[in-house]
Amino acid sequence: MTIDKFDILTSTCVPLPAENVDTDQIIPARFLKATSREGFGENLFRDWRYDKEGNPKKDFVLNNPKYSGKILVAGKNFGSGSSREHAAWAIFDYGFRVVVSSFFADIFKNNAMNNGLLPVQVSDTFLKTIFSEIEKDPAAQLEVDLEKQEIKILSTGEAETFAINPYKKLCFLNGYDDIDFLLSKKEKIQAFEQNRDS
Amino acid sequence: MEPKTLFDKIWDSHVVDSIPDGPDVLYIDRHYIHEVTSPQAFSGLRKRGIPLFRPERTLATADHNIPTQHQELPIREKLSRIQVETLSENCKEFGVELYGLGHPHNGIVHVIGAELGFTQPGMTIVCGDSHTSTHGAFGSIAFGIGTSEVEMVFASQCVLQPKPKKMRINIDGKLGEAVTSKDIILYIISQISASGATGYFVEYAGSAIRSLSMEARMTICNMSIEMGARGGLIAPDETTFTYVKGREFAPKGQEWDKVLAKWKELKTDPDAVFDKELHFKAENIQPMITYGTNPGMGTAITGCIPKLEEIRESEQLSFKKALQYMGFEPGMPLEGHLVDYVFLGSCTNGRIEDIRAFASLVKGKKKAENITAWIVPGSRQVEKQAREEGLVEILEEAGFELRQPGCSACLAMNEDKVPAGKYSVSTSNRNFEGRQGPGARTLLASPLTAAAAAVTGKITNPADLM
């Protein structure tokens, strides 16, 4: 499965200031029973988004018509807990292409990158600034420039650079896939196996 | 030669290739799979039209989604049944050994991997499950991966991984009465928080760790992920070798002597440097319990929930939200609080020693009237052994029943769900909102503390009953 190419994304944001958002909140275990990758967006943040009867909870941000866009801005330590890739699939399937936080759990970060969902880690201060800009103006836009590794608040011009592994950056810019890369290493892998056995 | 950590030694010996400024191509010795995180990876192989590269290094089980009663009947829930059937079809098509429902080797993936001796020291081990860190107890590098990475291992027996930083956590001294390895790990996480080891791979060391059995070590490594660590390992020693010897997949005869000599070299060099090093005293650890909605929100069972002013300002909002979910107030004591459910089981505490510990405490007592208890063995072998040792009779006399193996109420994908608003003292690994069922309130604790709650009906220090 190749990933979508990514260069620059300009979009409004959905703010979720909660910290330690674990993957059980992103997609509860009872919705992991599918055998395909599609359709998980329906149950993204299920128990925060809907009540027991399945009615939307008014106070949850995804149900607030003020906020929309392709960028999810979340509190510190986003994606902790279970390794379920379904969490990344659900966020992507819902329509997000970038998640901004001041800290990501390791497995979630890998899973996101393997599916064309770009995790952008910013400083605590910059995250605070983004949240307050969105609060002032829900139509505030962020620009994520992968080539420059820069995230900018368009209304104020405030920007910060972010880190990304150069290999992963190349994959995002070109839509490369890790499995194609690994398959191209077959000979090396077989040689490694033989060396170990001897 | 430059001194190396155990982690470096194992990692470096598995690097097939390194991408400049990028991740390493890491060779994987053992790959465990289950029904929930594998179907999309098999579909990927099919789409590409490629075979599974090294099926003999892969082992499959059905565990997450299965009922813990009447396993001889077809699974009632349709989606669960389809997922389990899909695993069987995929394993058959791609030549993977499957210990499915009803097989004498069936059980929770991290329980059976160890008890069959498929997990061995010095290996690299992955599974589409974050608690793969359990296998680190054998002195191996074991970590959870996502489904795309499961597909990578299927296709190439390798994953692309950046090398994590290294942390050593030392616990020295003697553990007190009723203090178990579960209390050690809950204590560590409460001290460094649920994200305190993110980006690191942890080595656990010190005299308190050395004194533990293999099963107790697995409980500690299992929860490494709950402080954000990529994994956790413990250098193998005589305890490890004795445990592995003679198990189904363990090397035999001359082969055993050969590997044993190698395994004895698996330790951190005396002057090796870690990116971070922490020290704790075993004497400071008491039976622990969590009060919040992440595993870092824990306290000694005799203690109180922190007051609001004791919490860092940036975390006060999450703290208040967690206590509201749990129905608790800041500063309140936990001992004596009424409980509705008790769950003994999971890849954290579903092994024979855990059932023995639970049985030893409830022996001659009776289950409290207000408690619904689920005692779920981690595998068919654990279930069998519990019967052979007479533990089932002890449990039944006290009013408890042993169910059939599976992940069960740890993540409540099957019918074993704690109802909304109910309190559950659970030996599992996560107390996230809704983890044991929508609205369920989970208190993580050791098997002894779970047993104490099961017979008193409330949060009770197990030391008071021993």
Side-chain angles (χ1 to χ4, degrees):
Chain A
M1 199 189 96
T2 49
I3 60 168
D4 293 345
K5 286 186 188 182
F6 189 109
D7 42 23
I8 296 181
L9 177 73
T10 308
S11 171
T12 50
C13 321
V14 176
L16 185 69
E19 293 188 353
N20 300 313
V21 174
D22 58 74
T23 51
D24 273 82
Q25 306 318 312
I26 299 173
I27 181 99
R30 62 187 190 279
F31 299 110
L32 306 185
K33 300 188 182 192
T35 51
S36 74
R37 287 172 186 248
E38 292 79 29
F40 288 103
E42 257 176 65
N43 293 311
L44 174 66
F45 295 117
R46 176 76 200 197
D47 295 335
W48 287 354
R49 202 166 141 199
Y50 300 104
D51 64 17
K52 265 186 273 174
E53 285 74 42
N55 302 311
K57 292 184 185 174
K58 281 210 181 90
D59 57 349
F60 186 61
V61 68
L62 290 190
N63 298 323
N64 187 339
K66 272 204 305 197
Y67 302 106
S68 65
K70 292 187 172 180
I71 302 175
L72 177 66
V73 186
K76 195 176 166 181
N77 195 26
F78 186 81
S80 57
S82 154
S83 65
R84 60 189 70 162
E85 193 161 313
H86 313 65
W89 296 337
I91 295 172
F92 190 91
D93 191 55
Y94 185 85
F96 292 113
R97 292 297 174 264
V98 170
V99 187
V100 180
S101 177
S102 57
F103 201 76
F104 289 97
D106 285 329
I107 305 181
F108 175 79
K109 201 174 179 177
N110 279 355
N111 287 342
M113 293 211 269
N114 283 332
N115 287 279
L117 176 69
L118 184 69
V120 174
Q121 188 167 326
V122 297
S123 65
D124 285 321
T125 341
F126 197 67
L127 187 68
K128 245 188 193 170
T129 316
I130 299 175
F131 279 131
S132 68
E133 281 306 314
I134 307 173
E135 205 182 325
K136 266 190 262 166
D137 176 15
Q141 288 196 318
L142 289 180
E143 181 187 271
V144 178
D145 185 332
L146 180 58
E147 185 60 58
K148 282 161 72 182
Q149 293 180 221
E150 187 186 78
I151 174 165
K152 194 194 282 178
I153 306 169
L154 283 185
S155 53
T156 65
E158 281 170 277
E160 194 173 85
T161 53
F162 61 88
I164 181 170
N165 182 300
Y167 166 79
K168 276 291 172 193
K169 181 176 174 178
L170 212 64
C171 290
F172 263 85
L173 289 172
N174 298 298
Y176 289 163
D177 177 288
D178 280 345
I179 295 184
D180 290 335
F181 175 83
L182 284 169
L183 289 174
S184 76
K185 296 277 168 189
K186 260 301 167 50
E187 276 180 27
K188 270 204 167 173
I189 295 168
Q190 277 164 334
F192 174 87
E193 288 177 325
Q194 275 163 9
N195 279 336
R196 290 178 86 198
D197 294 342
S198 59
Chain B
M1 266 208 326
E2 199 190 329
K4 275 179 148 186
T5 68
L6 172 58
F7 172 78
D8 284 320
K9 290 180 189 179
I10 304 173
W11 182 282
D12 295 350
S13 69
H14 286 80
V15 173
V16 173
D17 201 8
S18 293
I19 304 172
D21 295 324
D24 288 334
V25 178
L26 193 71
Y27 192 81
I28 299 302
D29 294 316
R30 293 285 186 261
H31 187 198
Y32 295 109
I33 62 168
H34 59 84
E35 75 276 24
V36 177
T37 58
S38 67
Q40 295 87 350
F42 280 114
S43 304
L45 291 186
R46 224 173 268 124
K47 262 186 218 159
R48 286 171 204 267
I50 53 174
L52 204 153
F53 183 50
R54 293 287 179 247
E56 69 280 8
R57 293 188 177 275
T58 308
L59 202 61
T61 183
D63 56 2
H64 278 61
N65 218 341
I66 59 174
T68 53
Q69 281 178 320
H70 304 299
Q71 291 186 348
E72 66 287 358
L73 301 174
I75 301 175
R76 271 189 299 186
E77 218 261 325
K78 191 181 159 204
L79 291 175
S80 302
R81 190 175 65 243
I82 292 174
Q83 218 172 32
V84 171
E85 285 168 0
T86 305
L87 179 70
S88 303
E89 288 157 16
N90 282 333
C91 287
K92 207 170 160 195
E93 182 182 339
F94 288 94
V96 173
E97 181 85 20
L98 166 68
Y99 298 141
L101 219 49
H103 192 286
H105 288 166
N106 176 253
I108 304 175
V109 63
H110 308 307
V111 175
I112 65 165
E115 74 186 6
L116 293 171
F118 202 58
T119 290
Q120 294 162 22
M123 286 181 162
T124 49
I125 301 169
V126 295
C127 172
D129 187 287
S130 58
H131 295 110
T132 308
S133 57
T134 311
H135 306 269
F138 291 79
S140 56
I141 292 183
F143 54 91
I145 55 176
T147 300
S148 295
E149 292 165 314
V150 171
E151 191 181 336
M152 291 179 209
V153 183
F154 280 168
S156 68
Q157 205 54 42
C158 291
V159 282
L160 285 171
Q161 288 291 309
K163 195 174 183 181
K165 289 183 283 185
K166 289 152 289 179
M167 181 190 293
R168 182 159 60 189
I169 299 180
N170 304 278
I171 301 115
D172 283 295
K174 211 167 166 290
L175 291 169
E177 196 187 16
V179 179
T180 69
S181 69
K182 182 63 166 287
D183 301 301
I184 298 179
I185 191 65
L186 285 174
Y187 175 80
I188 295 172
I189 305 169
S190 77
Q191 296 295 304
I192 74 170
S193 93
S195 60
T198 303
Y200 291 91
F201 210 99
V202 176
E203 178 174 347
Y204 300 97
S207 58
I209 298 291
R210 286 277 143 244
S211 73
L212 298 174
S213 71
M214 274 323 289
E215 297 198 355
R217 292 178 190 185
M218 283 187 248
T219 301
I220 291 192
C221 290
N222 172 277
M223 288 189 72
S224 302
I225 182 72
E226 308 311 337
M227 48 185 172
R230 207 68 182 84
L233 55 71
I234 295 171
D237 56 14
E238 283 306 321
T239 305
T240 322
F241 309 141
T242 310
Y243 180 96
V244 176
K245 194 172 184 183
R247 290 186 186 262
E248 176 135 353
F249 288 99
K252 311 264 159 33
Q254 281 188 333
E255 191 54 30
W256 171 262
D257 299 332
K258 216 172 100 186
V259 294
L260 189 63
K262 279 193 198 164
W263 291 352
K264 286 186 172 169
E265 302 294 311
L266 291 170
K267 51 183 102 166
T268 291
D269 295 330
D271 296 323
V273 180
F274 289 82
D275 299 288
K276 197 169 183 177
E277 189 137 23
L278 300 172
H279 295 267
F280 297 105
K281 285 198 182 89
E283 289 78 8
N284 291 341
I285 307 175
Q286 292 176 49
M288 295 286 295
I289 194 154
T290 64
Y291 57 82
T293 55
N294 74 55
M297 302 176 84
T299 171
I301 200 162
T302 52
C304 293
I305 295 174
K307 297 187 181 111
L308 191 61
E309 56 269 28
E310 291 165 343
I311 302 292
R312 268 200 300 140
E313 207 187 321
S314 68
E315 284 169 15
Q316 288 187 357
L317 196 72
S318 307
F319 176 76
K320 277 195 265 189
K321 189 170 171 273
L323 291 198
Q324 196 187 10
Y325 180 86
M326 293 298 292
F328 289 150
E329 297 294 331
M332 73 180 261
L334 287 156
E335 253 183 312
H337 194 280
L338 283 176
V339 172
D340 310 290
Y341 283 74
V342 166
F343 172 54
L344 176 76
S346 84
C347 58
T348 314
N349 282 123
R351 298 183 178 81
I352 193 67
E353 286 181 9
D354 302 313
I355 296 179
R356 279 185 204 139
F358 190 97
S360 74
L361 198 135
V362 303
K363 188 174 182 178
K365 301 185 180 69
K366 287 284 175 208
K367 182 181 80 64
E369 296 252 335
N370 58 316
I371 294 289
T372 302
W374 293 324
I375 317 290
V376 182
S379 71
R380 286 285 292 261
Q381 286 204 39
V382 171
E383 183 187 358
K384 186 166 163 258
Q385 202 174 342
R387 284 188 199 290
E388 287 167 0
E389 290 185 13
L391 300 176
V392 174
E393 282 135 55
I394 296 172
L395 290 174
E396 282 174 357
E397 261 170 48
F400 299 94
E401 164 203 18
L402 189 73
R403 296 168 82 97
Q404 290 172 304
C407 296
S408 179
C410 174
L411 82 170
M413 274 192 84
N414 67 354
E415 295 92 339
D416 307 341
K417 289 179 174 63
V418 175
K422 299 290 181 191
Y423 290 94
S424 160
V425 173
S426 175
T427 67
S428 54
N429 40 59
R430 290 190 175 131
N431 50 356
F432 298 155
E433 283 183 32
R435 173 80 179 181
Q436 295 195 287
R441 292 161 164 170
T442 302
L443 306 137
L444 301 176
S446 75
L448 285 177
T449 302
V455 292
T456 61
K458 52 197 181 186
I459 298 176
T460 303
N461 184 354
D464 295 346
L465 300 179
M466 291 168 78

